Amino acid sequence: MLLPLLTALASSVALGNAFTDTSPLFMFSTSELLTSAPQIASASTVQETIISQFSKCPSDTYIIVSQPGVHAEDYSDRYAAPHLRRKVSGEDERIRSTMSVTDVLGQVNAEEIVASVEERCGAALLRIDASTGSFTINDDPKPRIINVDFPALPSASKERSSKLKENDVFLSSILDLLPTSKYTVIYTTSPYTARKSTEHVESEMYEMDSPFSSSQSHMGIKRDFSVHDKRADENDGNVTLPDAPLFEKYQYFTPGIFMGIIVILPLFMILYVGVSAVGSLQVSYAAFDREMGPHMAKKGQ
């Protein structure tokens, strides 16, 4: 009994770790496309499916978006990318076909999709760097490809959500300024773990090629750890301000105190109602007099 249980647990852990290296993909179009894909698919399968849809060049504009450093959980909040959600969910009446893959194993090569559309449809390529915050779209009736490159999302959760909303607004503004109503958007992503591994490899290469001596490297490491500890203390709220006023130096109203007050107020109200009910009871003095029935009257005579 124990061996099958351990095997099942190990399989579930391995499956969970496998999905951490996945990222979603979205596609929507104002043209009729035969788009269908499972929720979990390899990057090569998804890429072949997308390229096969462009054999007849159904749109005038093809927008290929690249968003690195994300995961499916980043789009789980309905307010994370509201414009993208509205397009993919079919709330926009102009969208006639959609496709979404929650977990893509690997990375879809956006450059190969661009090259395929260029070759088949004779479309002109326009690259937009979203980090600059500006773009120009000409009123040319010829087919075009707009390749939008978004920067990777930061690691902090609040900053990730804010940046994702900014990117969503940027993409929506591109769609609003298109000179044609026939367009197809391929929203490709890459997982956050892939970004971290790339940064780790680059840091290791930098350390191997560093001309500084080992002693200087140790000093740099110690300095970085001290800065990290200082930032950690600041994030935890344990910063001491010796010259600050009393109410800025200490925190008197904590969430625990606030929760206690919220709980105590209803209890005091219940107690007040109970005491008021007991105090409002009224009994007449005649209720304590002895009854003088016929039997008691004869006994008195």
Side-chain angles (χ1 to χ4, degrees), residues 142-156:
K142 295 182 180 180
R144 76 187 72 198
I145 303 172
I146 301 177
N147 190 7
V148 184
D149 291 326
F150 286 119
L153 298 184
S155 57

Side-chain angles (χ1 to χ4, degrees), residues 111-167:
E111 294 297 331
E112 292 185 2
I113 299 177
V114 170
S116 176
V117 176
E118 278 185 304
E119 180 181 357
R120 296 184 180 186
C121 305
L125 177 61
L126 172 63
R127 295 188 181 274
I128 296 178
D129 186 4
S131 60
T132 61
S134 61
F135 61 91
T136 302
I137 299 178
N138 300 324
D139 296 334
D140 191 354
K142 295 182 180 180
R144 76 187 72 198
I145 303 172
I146 301 177
N147 190 7
V148 184
D149 291 326
F150 286 119
L153 298 184
S155 57
S157 59
K158 292 184 179 179
E159 296 178 2
R160 289 174 67 86
S161 178
S162 176
K163 192 63 179 177
L164 196 60
K165 290 180 182 178
E166 293 180 6
N167 296 346

